[in-house]
Amino acid sequence: MSAWKSAGITYLQYANICARAVRNSLKDELKVAAQARNQNNLKFAKWEKGVASEQKFVEPKAQQ
């Protein structure tokens, strides 16, 4: 059995943990570039009658 399965986590959670460990182990100059790639973007388009409207980026709500 895979280690991530026996730990009770999904493969996606396992991959995220590994990626975070690699980013944290980088030297400072490389860590800055890796952290910049650690952003998620989401586009949304409403479909009506088989045609997509204009795509818009979804902005996350500000955390308080």
Side-chain angles (χ1 to χ4, degrees):
M1 180 180 273
S2 300
W4 56 270
K5 279 187 181 179
S6 61
I9 60 175
T10 66
Y11 182 76
L12 183 58
Q13 290 170 323
Y14 167 75
N16 285 334
I17 291 168
C18 292
R20 190 177 331 122
V22 169
R23 284 191 300 270
N24 289 338
S25 67
L26 293 172
K27 294 181 180 178
D28 289 335
E29 61 271 5
L30 297 175
K31 189 183 287 191
V32 172
Q35 291 293 354
R37 290 190 302 268
N38 190 30
Q39 297 177 359
N40 296 320
N41 296 316
L42 176 67
K43 278 188 177 180
F44 175 80
K46 187 173 181 179
W47 286 74
E48 291 183 19
K49 299 179 183 177
V51 179
S53 63
E54 180 183 353
Q55 294 183 354
K56 298 178 184 176
F57 280 103
V58 176
E59 299 290 332
K61 293 182 180 178
Q63 294 182 359
Q64 298 172 356

